[in-house]
Amino acid sequence: MGNKVSIGLLGLGVVGSGVIKLIKNHQEELVHQLGCSIEVKSVLVRNVDKVRDVDLNQTFLTTDPADILQDPAIDVIIEVMGGIDEAYQYTLEAFRTKKHVVSANKDLIALHGTELEETARQHKCDFYYEASVAGGIPILRGITDGLASDRIQKVMGIVNGTTNYILTKMTNDGMTYEEALKEAQELGFAEADPTADVEGLDAARKMAILGRLAFSTDVALSEVEVNGIKDLELADLQYGEKFGYTMKLIGFAQCKNQQIEVSVQPTFLSNDHPLAGVKNEYNAVYVYGDAVGETMFYGPGAGSLPTATAIVSDLVTVIKNMRLGISGNASLEPRITTTLRNSEQRSGQYYLRIHVKDRIGAFSEISTLFNDLSISFKRILQTPMKQNGLAEIILITHQTSLATFENALNQLHELDVVKQIKSYYKVEGDAPDELAGTAKTLS
Amino acid sequence: MGNKVSIGLLGLGVVGSGVIKLIKNHQEELVHQLGCSIEVKSVLVRNVDKVRDVDLNQTFLTTDPADILQDPAIDVIIEVMGGIDEAYQYTLEAFRTKKHVVSANKDLIALHGTELEETARQHKCDFYYEASVAGGIPILRGITDGLASDRIQKVMGIVNGTTNYILTKMTNDGMTYEEALKEAQELGFAEADPTADVEGLDAARKMAILGRLAFSTDVALSEVEVNGIKDLELADLQYGEKFGYTMKLIGFAQCKNQQIEVSVQPTFLSNDHPLAGVKNEYNAVYVYGDAVGETMFYGPGAGSLPTATAIVSDLVTVIKNMRLGISGNASLEPRITTTLRNSEQRSGQYYLRIHVKDRIGAFSEISTLFNDLSISFKRILQTPMKQNGLAEIILITHQTSLATFENALNQLHELDVVKQIKSYYKVEGDAPDELAGTAKTLS
C-alpha cells in the first residue's frame, strides 16, 4: 500500500466536489492520522467537458465505470452518484474486485443495505455509509460504537432538512405550507420537485437504516409507515403551540420484545423535548437507550462539505482498517428477527381537531364516546366558530392504543353531531402545565 | 483468548456498580458483538464487607491491587476508583503488565492524559476514557472518529450537570444561587461540598481533555482559565433573559493558527444557540468544524448506568481490538504544538452591568470612554434605581478584544460618575432583534 491510498469517485455532484475539496484542504490532518496520503485517481462523470467548481486534473475524469472498478490500483470507491440500479451494480462489482466502498446513497442502502453488508463481509471488504443518514452528524457511529454497550429502545429523528425548514417557517413566522415551501425552494433548501421530501419518503429511507442499526435487525423500507407534511394546516400548528407543543416531521423507530414499529409522521412534540428546538434546515437524531437514557445528536443534515465530512471520516476508518489488516470486520449480521407491531400493540397520545354542530350536549356526546372506549383527555379546548353555527373542538388524549384511537375516529364519523374530522396527529411528551392553563383561557 | 475476556475493576462505587449491572443485563448483545463473553474476575474495594447494591460473588472482591494488576488472566482494567495518585500508579502498572485500561477518571486524564497515552502506545495497550467527559455522551468518539476528517475550530460544552441544574433553576424558577444549590444537593445533583463543581474545576478538567483531542495538541490543565458560578446574581440572569440570552457555565476551547484559548466561564448564550436549550442536569458539547459547521452532542453527563454505558462501549472497542490483534493503535501523538492566546488575541462580546450616579451627562461620559476605545454597543439599557440616587446601566458590546475590554473596565473604575462595576460576562451569539426591542421598552 505504501505511502498513499488511491481512491475512485463515482459521481462528482455537490457532495463529490465536497469530498475532493475536503481531502485537499485537510491533507495535513489526514496524513497525521493515516501515515499516508489520499490520492483521488479517477472520477466517474456523465460529461467530462462540464465546467466544475473543483480543482481536479481533467484527465482524472472518465465516463466508463470500468476505468475505476477494474483499476487494480484503486483501493476504495466513494459512491456519490445516487440512484439505485447502477449504484447497486457498481457497489457489488467493487466488492467482487476487493475494493472497499464508502457510500452516501440512502436510497440504495435503505433497499439493499443488509445484502450489501453481507456481500462486503464475504469479500472481506469494508462498507461504510455514515453520510447516508443526517449528513454531517456522526449518528451511525454514535449508535454502533458510542452506544455499543446499550440496548436502544427508541430512535426519533428530524432527518429531513427540507421539511424541517418548512415547518420552522410555519411555526415561527406563521407562513402557510405553500409559502414556506416556496421560500425553501428559493433558498435551495427544497428541490423543484419536493415530493420525496414533503411526502416523507426521504426520511423513511433514513429511518429504515437507523432502525436496522439501532436494533440489529432487518428493517424493510416497505415496513416504514409514511405520512408527509403536505396537508398540514397552519391552524393545527397554532393550536399545538398554545398547548405547548411544536409540530415536527418525526421519524420514529421503536423495538420491544422483538416487535418493531417504524414510521415517519407529523408529530406534536412537547416544547421541552430535545428535538422540539431543532430549527430550520438542521437535523437531529434522538436515541433513547435502556441504560444511557436520553441522548441527541445534532448538526447539518445536508450540504456539500458537511456531507463530505461524513464520507471522508468513513474513508479514514477504511484506510486505518486497511493499514491494520482488519478490513471487512465492521458490520455484524442482524442479531434478532422482528415482526411489525399491529395497531393494538402500538400506542400513543393523539391530538384531534373536529368540527361539531354548536348545540347543547354536543361535547357531552363526544366525551361519552371516548369515555366508553376508556380514552381520557389531557387537554380540551372548544371554541365557537363565528360564521357557520359550528364549534371547533381540540382534544389531546392520554396514552391509548392506536387501535382504540382508530376505533374512536370511526365512531366519531357516525355521530350526527360531528360535522368533520379535520385532523389528527401523534403527540410525544408532556407539555408543562402552565401552558395548558394558557390554552384553557381561550375556551 | 478463547470465548471469554476477563476484566478487573478498580473501584466499586456508583459507576463501578453500573458497569457490573450493564455487563450482566446486556450480555446477549455484548456476546453478539464480540463473539465472546465478558467475565468480571476481580474488583478492588476498600472494604470487602460493605453491603452493596450489586449482584456479585463476594469472593471476587479484594483490597489488594496486586490481585488484579498481577493476575495474568486479567486482560482489561476498568479504573473507576477516582483520585489521582493511586489511580496513576495502577494505570501505569497495568500498561507495564500488558493490560488495557478503560478509565472514567477525568482528574487523572486532565493531568496525565498525554503521558498515559504515550505509555499505553509503548506497551501496545489500549487506553480509552470516553466516560471521563460528559458521562453517557459519546463525544470523544464523535471528535476522534466521527469528525476525523474535519478541522475542529471550536468546542463549547455544558460539561457539568450540577452547575447546569443550578443555573436552570435560577433562570426558570427565579431561585437565587443559594436556593438552587440547596435544591440540587437535596436531589443528589450536587455534593455536600460542591466546590469542584461550582468553581468550574470539574468542567475545566473536561475541557482540557476535549481541547487536547479536538485540536490534537497538548493542553495543560493549568492553561484553562476558570471562573465559577458562585457569585452570579439573579439580576444578571434576568437582564440577560430580557435581551434574549441564557446564562450557562460554558467550557470554551478554540484553536487558530496554533494558538489556543481554553476557558470555563459563565457566559450569556443567545437563545437560539443549540446549547441554550440544554436544561437541568443534562450535558451537551457543541463542536464547530471547518467543514461540518455546527454539531452538538447531548445527553446525561453523569449517573451510574449512563456513565457505565460509555465505559462498557469502550470495553467493547478494546475487546474487538484484542480479537483483531490491533491493540495499542487507538491514540495518536499530538499533531501540533500550540501557545496560549494573550488578551489581545482573544476577543468576544461582553455584557457589563454598572451602577452610576444618576446625573445629567452620566451616560455620555461612559459612551465617550467606550467610543474612544472603538468599542461599540449592541444593547444599552439604563434604569433609575429608586432608593439611592443611582442608575443601573447594562451594556452589551459588539465584538472587541479582551485587552480592549479590560482597558475599558480599568478606565471605568477611574470615572467619578461610576459608582460600581457590578458584573461582566462573555456573550456568545446574536439574540433576535425583536427581543432587543422588548428590552428597550424597559428603559
Side-chain angles (χ1 to χ4, degrees), chain A residues 164-197:
Chain A
N164 202 44
Y165 186 86
I166 292 171
L167 291 176
T168 302
K169 290 291 146 181
M170 291 176 74
T171 302
N172 290 3
D173 301 347
M175 288 187 188
T176 62
Y177 168 76
E178 289 75 17
E179 289 164 349
L181 172 60
K182 188 156 171 283
E183 185 178 299
Q185 285 170 324
E186 284 164 4
L187 293 169
F189 293 135
E191 297 184 44
D193 176 4
T195 311
D197 293 315

Side-chain angles (χ1 to χ4, degrees), chain A residues 22 25-30 32-34 130 136-138 141-142 144-151 216 258 271-272 274 279 282 286 290-300 305-306 308-314 316-317 320-321 324-326 329-330 332-336, chain B residues 22 25-30 32-34 130 136-138 141-142 144-151 216 258 271-272 274 279 282 286 290-300 305-306 308-314 316-317 320-321 324-326 329-330 332-336:
Chain A
L22 196 61
N25 294 347
H26 293 182
Q27 187 73 243
E28 191 189 330
E29 286 86 345
L30 294 168
H32 176 73
Q33 289 179 69
L34 299 171
E130 180 66 79
I137 309 173
R141 286 157 193 279
T144 57
D145 299 345
L147 302 174
S149 65
D150 208 355
R151 185 181 294 142
S216 189
Q258 310 214 344
N271 287 342
D272 61 358
K279 289 187 184 132
Y282 277 88
Y286 167 97
D290 206 16
V292 78
E294 296 189 297
T295 63
M296 186 177 79
F297 302 74
Y298 167 97
L305 284 174
T309 306
I311 291 170
V312 182
S313 292
D314 275 353
V316 166
T317 304
K320 282 184 180 171
N321 290 347
L324 293 167
I326 59 162
N329 285 289
L332 292 167
E333 286 175 48
R335 187 177 60 84
I336 54 172
Chain B
L22 195 60
N25 294 347
H26 293 181
Q27 188 73 242
E28 192 190 327
E29 286 87 345
L30 293 169
H32 175 74
Q33 289 180 68
L34 299 172
E130 181 66 79
I137 308 173
R141 285 155 193 281
T144 56
D145 300 346
L147 302 175
S149 64
D150 207 356
R151 185 182 295 142
S216 189
Q258 310 214 344
N271 287 342
D272 60 358
K279 288 185 184 134
Y282 277 89
Y286 167 97
D290 204 18
V292 77
E294 294 189 299
T295 63
M296 185 178 77
F297 302 76
Y298 167 97
L305 284 174
T309 306
I311 292 170
V312 182
S313 293
D314 276 352
V316 166
T317 304
K320 282 184 178 171
N321 290 347
L324 294 167
I326 58 162
N329 285 289
L332 292 167
E333 286 176 49
R335 188 177 61 83
I336 53 172

Side-chain angles (χ1 to χ4, degrees), chain B residues 18-281:
Chain B
V19 169
I20 305 261
K21 284 180 198 164
L22 195 60
I23 289 173
K24 192 182 171 86
N25 294 347
H26 293 181
Q27 188 73 242
E28 192 190 327
E29 286 87 345
L30 293 169
V31 169
H32 175 74
Q33 289 180 68
L34 299 172
C36 68
S37 64
I38 299 169
E39 177 204 45
V40 179
K41 189 156 186 283
S42 311
V43 181
L44 178 71
V45 295
R46 288 192 203 287
N47 175 2
V48 293
D49 298 321
K50 186 175 164 186
V51 177
R52 295 166 201 277
D53 170 34
V54 58
D55 181 15
L56 191 71
N57 192 322
Q58 201 74 359
T59 60
F60 294 168
L61 303 182
T62 175
T63 55
D64 182 0
D67 283 349
I68 296 174
L69 295 166
Q70 302 301 328
D71 182 345
I74 288 178
D75 304 298
V76 189
I77 302 288
I78 311 274
E79 193 268 281
V80 283
M81 57 190 285
I84 293 179
D85 292 345
E86 285 180 320
Y88 175 70
Q89 293 305 331
Y90 298 166
T91 302
L92 285 179
E93 199 173 331
F95 294 144
R96 284 190 213 109
T97 56
K98 299 274 175 199
K99 299 185 194 315
H100 312 292
V101 177
V102 174
S103 173
N105 191 332
K106 59 187 171 293
D107 306 34
L108 175 66
I109 296 157
L111 275 179
H112 301 294
T114 304
E115 180 203 341
L116 289 173
E117 288 204 331
E118 201 181 307
T119 311
R121 279 194 302 272
Q122 279 166 9
H123 292 90
K124 296 267 172 219
C125 288
D126 273 347
F127 181 45
Y128 287 93
Y129 44 87
E130 181 66 79
S132 69
V133 178
I137 308 173
I139 178 60
L140 301 190
R141 285 155 193 281
I143 285 174
T144 56
D145 300 346
L147 302 175
S149 64
D150 207 356
R151 185 182 295 142
I152 294 173
Q153 295 181 355
K154 184 161 77 169
V155 177
M156 287 168 64
I158 294 174
V159 289
N160 179 274
T162 303
T163 48
N164 202 44
Y165 186 86
I166 292 171
L167 292 177
T168 302
K169 289 292 146 180
M170 291 176 74
T171 302
N172 290 4
D173 301 349
M175 287 186 188
T176 62
Y177 168 76
E178 289 74 18
E179 290 164 349
L181 171 61
K182 188 156 171 285
E183 185 177 299
Q185 284 171 325
E186 284 164 6
L187 292 169
F189 293 136
E191 297 183 45
D193 176 3
T195 311
D197 294 314
V198 301
E199 293 192 348
L201 304 173
D202 175 81
R205 291 174 188 132
K206 293 163 180 167
M207 292 313 297
I209 299 172
L210 282 172
R212 181 163 59 82
L213 293 174
F215 310 133
S216 189
T217 188
D218 207 359
V219 176
L221 183 53
S222 58
E223 291 176 316
V224 185
E225 182 188 317
V226 188
N227 286 290
I229 63 164
K230 273 190 320 173
D231 302 322
L232 279 184
E233 287 184 36
L234 195 52
D236 288 308
L237 273 63
Q238 289 168 341
Y239 278 123
E241 201 182 346
K242 287 187 216 300
F243 284 115
Y245 294 95
T246 303
M247 175 60 79
K248 294 288 182 190
L249 183 65
I250 294 296
F252 181 91
Q254 195 165 23
C255 183
K256 207 173 171 182
N257 304 327
Q258 310 214 344
Q259 292 175 329
I260 58 164
E261 170 183 350
V262 190
S263 66
V264 172
Q265 55 189 323
T267 304
F268 279 118
L269 299 180
S270 68
N271 287 342
D272 60 358
H273 193 287
L275 289 172
V278 175
K279 288 185 184 134
N280 297 319
E281 76 279 18

